[in-house]
Structures are given as C-alpha cells and as structure tokens.
C-alpha cells in the first residue's frame, strides 16, 4: 500500500491502509482541478483509490481531472485508478451519464465496497502507457463543452489558446479558468501526448522552454476589432505584437451587426485614428450569425468594407473560423490583405498545423506592416485628385485619364509586396501624370512660342524664330538643374520650329514662373527627372540604385505640390515675400517683358 492514496469521506475506507485524504466539498471544475493538482504537487503517488459515495459524479470528475491534467501532472496522469463504490455499477452509470465512460477505459478499475476484495486487487493495479493513452482512453470518453459558455465563445477561447501555443508567447496563464475545465483539457490532450513522457526531473506544472515567436511592431499602431476580445485574444495578441507602447495596441470590443451599429466612441476610433494594421473578426455579432451562410453578409465583412472605403491603403487582416476556400476567396476579393484561421475545438488540428497557421499569419502581418505606407499614399492621391478637379473642372475626359493614371499607380504599388520591381513601373505611371498635367493648354502652351499659364494669363518663357531662339529665361544647367539668369538671345541657324520642348524645360518653367522658385531643384525635381531617365531606364534586379519607396514619396510630394494652386501663395510666404493685393500683382505682371495677356477662360 506504499504510495497508494485513498480519497473519500467514510471512516471505513481508512481501514485499507495507505494514505487517506478526505475529499472536501468541491462545487465546480476549477475547484476540483486546483485540489487534484495540489494533491499531486505535495505527494508522491503511484496508485489512487477513489470512494464513490453519495456524490458519484464528483468522484468520477476527480478521476477525469487526474487523467486529463497532462500539463500539470505529466506522466502522473497515467497512474492506475480504482473506484470503490457503495452504489452498484448500474446505479453509478445511470447517475453520471457520459461521465461513466471513464469506467470502460484501461487503467481504471471498479470494485464494490468490499475491503477484503479491494485489498487483494490493489497490488495488481496497472496504469496506462503513453502509447495507450489515446486509443484506450481519449477515444473512449466523450466530454461535452459547458453549454453556458456557447459555441462562439468557446471557439474564441480555443483559438486564442492555439495562437498562444503556436507563437510560444505564453500569454495565457496556466491559472486561467478555462484551462482548468474538463472540456478544454480533453481537446488539448490529443496534441499534448509528448508531455506524458517520463522526465528525469521531478517537475509539476507547465513548462515553456521555447523562444517566443513574436511580431516586431515598433512604432506601429494596431487596432483589434472583436466582440469577444476578452476571451483571450486581447491578452495573446498584446503579447504577440511587440509595439513600442501599450497604447499602440487598441481594442474595440462591441457586439455589432454592421459598422453603423458601433457606438459613437468606437466609430470615432475606427474613422479618425490612424492604424498600421486592422485585425477584424469576421463574426462580430456572436451566435446571432450562426445561421448565416453568405460570407459577404457577415458583420466583419461589412466592417472590412467600411475600413477600406475610408482609405483603400488601410491594411486589414480578417480572423475567421471558416477554412472553406470560397469564403477565404470572398475575403480577399473584398479587400482583405490577409486572414487568420481561428482554430476550432471541434477539429483536432495538429501542432504542425497550428504552427504553420501562425507562421502564415505572421508573414501576412509583416507584409501588411511593410505595406502600411499605402495609407499615406492613398491620402496623398485623394488630395491630388481634389487639386486636379479644381484645376480642370467639368472636364470628364481629363478626369477619366487622371483617375486611370492614379488607379493604375496605386495597383502597381500593391504589387511591390511580392516584387520590388513594381516600384519602377509605379514611378513611370505617376510620372506620366506630370506629363499629362503640363500638356494641358491651361497649364503650359507650346507652339511657335511657349508660355506658362498663370491666373488665366500667359507668361512667355521662350520665343522662337526660324533662325534663332529668344529665351525669356535662360537655363544654365548646373549639376543637372536649371537656374534662372538674365535673358539673352541665342542664335541657332538650324533651329527647327516644330521641335517640342522636353518635360524638364516645361516643369522647370512652371517652377520658376508659376511658383516663384529661383531654380528647378524645388521639391527635388532634378532628382525626380534624373530617376526617370537613369534608375528606371537601367533597372536591374537587386540593384541598390533602383527605385524605392522613398523615391515614390518624393514623386508623390512633388505632384501634390505642383497641382496645388495655393502653393504659389505658400512659397512667397515661406520666402518672406510681402503679400501683394491681386491688383498689385497683376500690374507687376503686365509690366513684365514676357507677359502676354489673354482672354479669361470661361
């Protein structure tokens, strides 16, 4: 009877010898779990005898907690268990329902309450081996989830647990209430078999020796939108994402059927605050969406579409419990930049699957964080569109061209997630918008003579003759940029009056006459023009001198600058030039030797 422990409440059973432990009044699974774990923590137990008395269900639940507490008991979960019962076997089975399945598993014994027969049986008790655990125990029993929790909540609890394990974040404490419940122990046991192997060290409790596989998010802001973020997701994801500050990870927890159902405070967070990544649960309306079969009708899908409508560059990853290919395709077709498959307790996914699932999620997140610059790009393109609509009002033809150029540019930038060569294609596309802009007669007129259009008036920038060129501005080229000097005449007998002026000349003319700059280097125009004719023209894969995101933003800033008419006023203010009245400005312009007044355009 050495190291045989007897659990019960009657004095009679103490006569068996061994170590007697009185069973307290345990009223729920958490209390049973804590009591069982503590029992093994302070005692070395080889065999255990459990008395079945007035509460047969509690006695069997203690047996289940011993068998299923792999994380805490490890190989001790395999010890032999003998139930000594005052009620008959039939009575026990009738009063315990599916819990009675435990009595049909290997390593579990049942004896009527006869002390002599029990004494004879104890020496012959044998437990389970690691290899027998699944086939002779797990596949025989059947544990049901707590109906008060609900399937939706249970799936979230399990999903968060799966990510916590796969990422090795160890965010969920082993003392978490749900980890102590039989159903959770039951479904995790299938993937925790390796913990049953005997250890040379006597250790009780969960061991986590792996290195956390976290996601770098320094300086980034993350928004989690989940009606059940408190079921483990917030705790796990906060640990997974290495943000600079705690407040960089923001949580919106609210049950909604669509975006309009959010509270005003949460709408304000989603609409007005800027985030590098949005994590959105597909089902934000809980069990109310159980009967929904169409992906596009889910609450999270509607929130995804709203976030994308605010700014197409917003990066969104959707959390979904569905692994159906058509559902995942619907998410991506609706603008999702990735998805994470919430693992369900209904399916015993392998450890390898969980790790691959998390690895794909981490890769998607890193890609989204890298592409979060698209949000700023989209904001700038919106401003450029607005600027051009003011400059070219009620012109459907050019408006369609502008939309086409900007849409293609944005789509090309999306492709840089897979291949950086698309930076070059995108650069060319946006550069074409500059050429489209300066090709309009309301911006730059190029004929026998060339004019910059300023406030519906023409400023002569080059006058041409058959045998000479009179330059209104002489462009001395200094380190690749045009500089304005005094005017002069340049003879050129073989001058071809049909020759078109190049883009560099036209844009430089705009910069000098329209915006009042002294040379063409403003907003890095010289670099932009050089990039167009060198880096892109001689692009080679893996070439460090090829176009990158910094070059893209330089070009965007320049396009935004030249299309904003207000920058004429801004530049003068920055240079300390005293602002003139419109009348004074027009008098000065008319006195300019290269000014030619035209009729106001309607």
């Amino acid at each position: 009877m050495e190291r045989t422990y007897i659990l019960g409440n009657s004095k009679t059973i103490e006569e068996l010898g061994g170590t007697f432990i009185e069973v307290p009044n345990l009223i729920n699974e958490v209390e049973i779990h804590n009591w069982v774990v503590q029992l093994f923590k302070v005692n070395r137990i080889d065999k255990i005898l459990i008395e079945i008395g007035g509460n047969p269900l509690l006695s069997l639940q203690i047996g289940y907690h011993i068998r299923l507490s792999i994380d805490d008991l490890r190989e001790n979960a395999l010890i032999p268990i003998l139930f000594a019962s005052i009620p008959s076997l039939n009575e026990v089975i009738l009063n315990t329902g599916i819990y009675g399945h435990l009595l049909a598993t290997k390593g579990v014994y049942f004896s009527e309450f006869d002390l002599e027969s029990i004494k004879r049986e104890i020496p012959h008790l044998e437990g389970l081996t690691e290899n027998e655990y699944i086939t002779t125990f797990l596949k025989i029993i059947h544990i049901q989830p707590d109906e008060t929790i609900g399937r939706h909540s249970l799936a979230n609890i399990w999903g968060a647990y799966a990510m916590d394990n796969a990422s090795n974040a160890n965010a969920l404490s082993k003392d978490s209430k749900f980890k102590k419940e039989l159903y959770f122990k039951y479904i995790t046991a299938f993937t925790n078999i390796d913990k049953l192997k005997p250890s040379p060290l006597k250790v009780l409790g969960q061991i986590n020796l792996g290195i956390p596989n976290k996601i770098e998010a320094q300086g980034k802001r993350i928004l989690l939108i989940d009606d059940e973020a408190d079921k483990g997701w917030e705790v796990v994801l906060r640990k997974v994402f290495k943000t600079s500050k705690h407040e960089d990870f923001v949580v919106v927890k609210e049950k909604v059927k669509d975006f309009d159902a959010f509270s005003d405070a949460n709408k304000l967070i989603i609409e007005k605050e800027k985030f590098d990544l949005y994590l959105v649960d597909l089902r934000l309306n809980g069990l109310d969406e159980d009967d929904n079969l169409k992906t596009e009708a889910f609450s999270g899908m509607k929130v995804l579409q709203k976030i994308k409508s605010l700014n197409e560059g917003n990066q969104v990853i959707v959390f979904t419990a569905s692994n159906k290919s058509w559902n995942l395709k619907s998410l991506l077709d609706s603008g999702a930049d990735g998805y994470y498959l919430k693992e369900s307790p209904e399916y015993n996914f392998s450890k390898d699957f969980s790790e691959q699932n998390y690895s794909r999620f981490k890769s998607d997140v890193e890609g989204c964080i890298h592409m979060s610059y698209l949000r700023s790009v989209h904001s700038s393109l919106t401003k450029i569109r607005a600027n051009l609509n003011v400059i070219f009002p009620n012109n459907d033809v050019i408006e369609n061209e502008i939309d086409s150029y900007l849409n293609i540019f944005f789509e090309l930038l999306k492709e840089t997630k897979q291949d950086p060569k698309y930076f070059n294609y995108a650069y060319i596309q946006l550069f074409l918008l500059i050429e489209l802009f300066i090709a309009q007669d309301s911006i730059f007129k190029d004929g026998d003579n060339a004019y910059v259009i300023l406030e519906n008036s023409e400023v002569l920038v080059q006058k041409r003759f058959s045998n000479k060129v009179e330059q209104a501005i002489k462009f001395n080229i200094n380190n690749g940029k045009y500089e304005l000097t005094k005017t002069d005449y340049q003879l050129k007998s073989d001058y071809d009056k049909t020759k078109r002026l190049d883009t560099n000349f036209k844009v430089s003319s705009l910069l000098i006459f329209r915006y009042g700059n002294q040379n063409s280097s403003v907003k890095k125009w010289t670099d932009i023009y050089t990039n167009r004719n060198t880096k892109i023209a001689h692009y080679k894969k893996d070439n460090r001198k090829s176009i990158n995101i910094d070059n893209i933003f330089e070009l965007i800033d320049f396009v935004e600058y030249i299309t904003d008419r207000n920058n004429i006023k801004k530049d003068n203010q920055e240079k300390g030039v005293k602002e003139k009245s419109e009348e004074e400005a027009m008098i000065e312009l008319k006195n300019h030797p290269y000014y030619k007044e035209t009729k106001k355009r309607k």
Side-chain angles (χ1 to χ4, degrees), residues 179-409:
K179 282 190 173 184
K180 300 177 180 181
E181 295 172 350
L182 281 179
Y183 181 72
F184 179 84
K185 291 182 178 182
Y186 169 60
I187 56 180
T188 58
F190 286 91
T191 55
N192 283 344
I193 300 299
D194 57 330
K195 295 182 180 180
L196 291 171
K197 295 177 181 178
S199 170
L201 300 176
K202 190 63 179 177
V203 179
L204 285 176
Q206 189 173 13
I207 300 176
N208 192 334
L209 299 177
I211 299 173
N213 186 10
K214 297 186 178 182
I215 300 173
E216 290 292 338
Q218 297 291 323
K220 306 300 179 182
R221 299 193 75 222
I222 316 295
L223 177 63
L224 170 64
I225 304 176
D226 192 336
D227 63 312
E228 294 204 320
D230 58 341
K231 294 298 188 292
W233 286 115
E234 179 178 358
V235 175
V236 173
L237 289 168
R238 278 193 185 278
K239 195 75 175 287
V240 163
F241 283 94
K242 292 178 64 176
T243 56
S244 300
K245 298 176 291 186
H246 181 82
E247 55 267 30
D248 285 341
F249 191 94
V250 181
V251 179
V252 167
K253 178 188 173 299
E254 188 175 358
K255 182 181 175 183
V256 294
K257 62 180 181 179
D258 52 32
F259 181 81
D260 291 337
F262 277 116
S263 66
D264 290 343
N266 284 335
K267 283 181 184 176
L268 201 61
I269 291 173
I270 298 170
E271 290 182 312
K272 301 301 181 183
E273 294 191 32
K274 295 180 180 179
F275 297 95
D276 297 281
L277 178 64
Y278 297 77
L279 305 174
V280 180
D281 186 29
L282 182 62
R283 292 179 15 165
L284 296 169
N285 205 21
L287 295 176
D288 293 343
E289 296 187 272
D290 263 4
D291 297 330
N292 183 23
L293 299 177
K294 296 182 179 180
T295 309
E296 58 273 15
F298 276 108
S299 51
M301 180 70 87
K302 297 171 184 176
V303 173
L304 160 67
Q305 292 166 346
K306 176 63 178 182
I307 291 171
K308 284 292 184 177
S309 72
L310 294 171
N311 186 313
E312 194 179 341
N314 285 333
Q315 300 295 293
V316 185
I317 291 179
V318 177
F319 280 40
T320 173
S322 172
N323 61 353
K324 301 293 189 297
S325 58
W326 56 87
N327 288 334
L328 299 178
K329 184 177 184 301
S330 294
L331 291 176
L332 298 176
D333 289 346
S334 296
D337 300 286
Y339 59 84
Y340 176 74
L341 188 61
K342 283 186 175 181
E343 297 182 37
S344 170
E346 297 175 7
Y347 307 101
N348 290 319
F349 289 112
S350 67
K351 182 179 179 182
D352 285 344
F353 176 89
S354 295
E355 290 176 350
Q356 291 171 11
N357 189 29
Y358 175 74
S359 179
R360 183 177 60 248
F361 170 70
K362 182 179 180 183
S363 177
D364 282 347
V365 167
E366 290 172 342
C368 286
I369 288 177
H370 170 70
M371 298 299 289
S372 62
Y373 67 79
L374 287 176
R375 186 186 69 244
S376 296
V377 169
H378 191 271
S379 295
S380 292
L381 297 189
T382 300
K383 292 178 184 177
I384 291 170
R385 273 192 174 92
N387 291 343
L388 291 171
N389 284 338
V390 171
I391 295 173
F392 307 117
N394 305 318
N395 190 329
D396 292 340
V397 175
I398 191 169
E399 183 179 336
N400 290 336
E401 284 191 80
I402 291 167
D403 282 341
S404 175
Y405 281 31
L406 294 179
N407 289 339
I408 293 173
F409 168 72

Side-chain angles (χ1 to χ4, degrees), residues 5 27 42 61 111 131 154 164-165 177 279 304 320 355 365 385 402 404 459 476 490 503 516 532-533 601:
Y5 278 67
I27 60 175
V42 298
Q61 285 178 323
S111 174
N131 293 332
L154 188 66
D164 192 37
N165 275 358
K177 176 180 178 293
L279 305 174
L304 160 67
T320 173
E355 290 176 350
V365 167
R385 273 192 174 92
I402 291 167
S404 175
V459 178
N476 285 339
Q490 179 181 3
T503 300
R532 168 65 181 83
N533 295 322
R601 290 173 174 80

Side-chain angles (χ1 to χ4, degrees), residues 548-596:
N548 57 39
I549 186 58
D550 292 333
N551 301 137
I552 293 291
F553 274 115
E554 287 173 1
L555 180 56
I556 291 173
D557 288 345
F558 182 77
V559 174
E560 190 176 335
Y561 172 80
I562 65 170
T563 58
D564 187 351
R565 297 165 70 95
N566 293 324
N567 280 327
I568 300 172
K569 181 177 179 180
K570 290 178 185 176
D571 280 351
N572 285 333
Q573 290 174 339
E574 289 173 3
K575 294 170 186 174
V577 177
K578 184 179 179 181
E579 188 173 342
K580 301 179 180 65
S581 67
E582 183 177 351
E583 183 179 356
E584 290 174 328
M586 288 306 297
I587 291 174
E588 184 176 300
L589 184 58
K590 288 178 179 179
N591 291 329
H592 194 286
Y594 307 107
Y595 169 76
K596 175 184 177 184

Side-chain angles (χ1 to χ4, degrees), residues 98-160:
I98 61 173
Y99 286 93
H101 293 179
L102 177 64
L103 301 173
T105 65
K106 188 172 182 179
V108 173
Y109 302 84
F110 182 89
S111 174
E112 292 184 358
F113 202 86
D114 180 280
L115 296 183
E116 291 303 318
S117 62
I118 292 173
K119 284 182 181 179
R120 289 193 299 269
E121 192 168 356
I122 286 177
H124 304 289
L125 299 180
E126 293 183 354
L128 289 171
T129 67
E130 174 197 345
N131 293 332
E132 295 171 328
Y133 188 79
I134 291 180
T135 56
T136 65
F137 171 62
L138 283 182
K139 289 191 175 180
I140 294 175
I141 66 171
H142 185 64
I143 306 295
Q144 293 280 13
D146 186 347
E147 293 182 359
T148 62
I149 297 177
R151 290 179 56 206
H152 182 59
S153 296
L154 188 66
N156 276 309
I157 291 170
W158 173 257

